[in-house]
């Protein structure tokens, strides 16, 4: 599949990336990536393992430097900001592998998501909201996070991110290693989060899963965007079906 030329950025783009190249030291991974994230949308970034999806999220979070190109948040360049400064803008990542504190309780893990906040009454209110969205976390609140199942740990990681009051929630490989019934539940949770006004960027190698839930999507191959458009159109793309779905 050939690389695509990005459409002009919508005027209301929340996050705008143009010509982004990044990688690890001298090893380049992303090559002139351009994409837009619009407010309160569910956007999917899909592609096979090794395509550069996690590298893109790490660059957006400030964990990897921008080699060339620009990243703008509400029209402001953020390509050189620290991870903490980016986090304070409301750009929050649920990392691949969850990265919980296994010897801490579920509730203490959730409160770690609010470690930068000093509005204690609102933190408690948000904790109640998160427990409403993830009732199993309420049941497990005193349990050590490391003793839960993989699906429950993924719920905990997502709930912890919500405690930071994200404006953009970036979720990396949510379905990895989980049973389909758990993945379906987590996807329902993501949709509910979007319906509350939080913008979602889901990075996923299960292309059918992501396209079935998203509003729009980009396809990343070997560090380049090769397709973009409404998810309902991409899921019917014959070339994508052959390449990723074996159809």
């Amino acid at each position: 599949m050939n690389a695509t030329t990005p459409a002009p950025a919508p005027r209301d783009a929340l996050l705008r990336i143009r010509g982004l190249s990044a990688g690890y030291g001298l090893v380049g991974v992303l090559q002139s990536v351009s994409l837009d994230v619009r407010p309160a949308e569910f956007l999917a970034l899909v592609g096979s393992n090794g395509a550069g999806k996690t590298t893109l999220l790490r660059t957006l979070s400030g964990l990897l430097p921008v080699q060339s190109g620009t990243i703008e948040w509400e029209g402001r360049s953020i390509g050189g900001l620290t991870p903490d400064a980016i986090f304070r803008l409301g750009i929050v990542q649920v990392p691949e592998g969850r990265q919980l504190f296994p010897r801490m309780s579920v509730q203490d893990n959730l409160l770690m998501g609010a470690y930068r906040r000093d509005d204690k009454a609102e933190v408690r209110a948000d904790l109640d909201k998160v427990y409403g969205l993830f009732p199993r976390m309420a049941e497990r609140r005193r349990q050590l996070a490391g003793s839960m199942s993989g699906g429950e740990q993924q719920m905990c990681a997502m709930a912890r991110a919500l405690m930071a009051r994200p404006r953009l929630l970036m979720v990396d490989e949510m379905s990895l290693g989980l049973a389909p019934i758990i993945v379906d539940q987590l996807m329902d949770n993501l949709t509910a989060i979007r319906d509350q006004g939080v913008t979602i960027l889901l990075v996923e190698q299960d292309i059918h899963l992501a396209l079935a839930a998203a509003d729009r999507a980009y396809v990343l191959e070997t560090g380049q965007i090769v397709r973009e458009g409404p998810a309902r159109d991409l899921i019917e793309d014959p070339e994508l079906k052959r390449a990723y779905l074996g159809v």
Side-chain angles (χ1 to χ4, degrees):
M1 287 183 282
N2 296 323
T4 181
T5 301
R11 294 180 64 183
D12 64 344
L14 186 67
L15 181 72
R16 179 176 300 162
I17 301 169
R18 286 294 176 269
L20 179 65
S21 296
Y24 302 86
L26 298 177
V27 180
V29 177
L30 301 177
Q31 306 169 44
S32 195
V33 167
S34 297
L35 61 83
D36 302 298
V37 184
R38 301 166 186 168
E41 77 168 341
F42 192 140
L43 182 70
L45 177 68
V46 298
S48 59
N49 188 34
K53 304 185 301 299
T54 295
T55 299
L56 178 59
L57 289 195
R58 289 176 60 83
T59 306
L60 294 180
S61 295
L63 299 172
L64 290 176
V66 173
Q67 295 177 349
S68 62
T70 60
I71 304 172
E72 293 183 357
W73 176 258
E74 296 184 318
R76 170 194 173 190
S77 176
I78 63 169
L81 296 184
T82 65
D84 183 65
I86 291 172
F87 178 83
R88 287 175 180 273
L89 291 173
I91 302 172
V92 179
Q93 182 174 346
V94 180
E96 181 181 353
R98 298 129 200 175
Q99 297 183 21
L100 300 176
F101 298 95
R103 297 183 180 276
M104 293 172 56
S105 71
V106 167
Q107 182 153 303
D108 285 343
N109 268 273
L110 299 191
L111 291 174
M112 287 299 294
Y115 79 104
R116 287 292 189 187
R117 297 173 57 184
D118 54 13
D119 50 341
K120 293 184 179 180
E122 293 190 29
V123 167
R124 288 293 170 181
D126 285 348
L127 190 60
D128 289 340
K129 291 178 183 177
V130 166
Y131 282 146
L133 185 61
F134 296 96
R136 195 171 303 182
M137 294 300 96
E139 297 169 5
R140 303 282 195 269
R141 68 179 71 193
R142 292 182 176 84
Q143 186 171 332
L144 296 183
S147 68
M148 296 192 299
S149 69
E152 289 169 339
Q153 290 187 33
Q154 185 65 56
M155 291 178 191
C156 189
M158 291 167 60
R160 179 182 60 184
L162 287 181
M163 290 299 298
R165 286 193 171 179
R167 296 181 61 199
L168 171 62
L169 183 65
M170 305 189 300
V171 185
D172 193 4
E173 301 291 5
M174 182 186 71
S175 71
L176 198 62
L178 301 182
I181 190 170
I182 299 298
V183 174
D184 288 344
Q185 182 178 348
L186 290 168
M187 196 62 78
D188 288 343
N189 291 140
L190 272 187
T191 301
I193 292 167
R194 189 279 307 275
D195 290 345
Q196 294 175 2
V198 179
T199 304
I200 303 293
L201 173 55
L202 175 66
V203 161
E204 182 62 59
Q205 60 180 300
D206 186 333
I207 189 168
H208 188 273
L209 172 75
L211 294 182
D215 301 313
R216 293 190 306 118
Y218 291 83
V219 181
L220 191 66
E221 279 189 7
T222 58
Q224 294 181 301
I225 299 294
V226 296
R227 285 284 193 282
E228 64 174 292
R232 63 180 179 273
D233 293 342
L234 291 177
I235 205 169
E236 297 299 331
D237 186 302
E239 194 170 353
L240 288 183
K241 285 184 175 182
R242 286 194 298 270
Y244 293 100
L245 304 178
V247 178

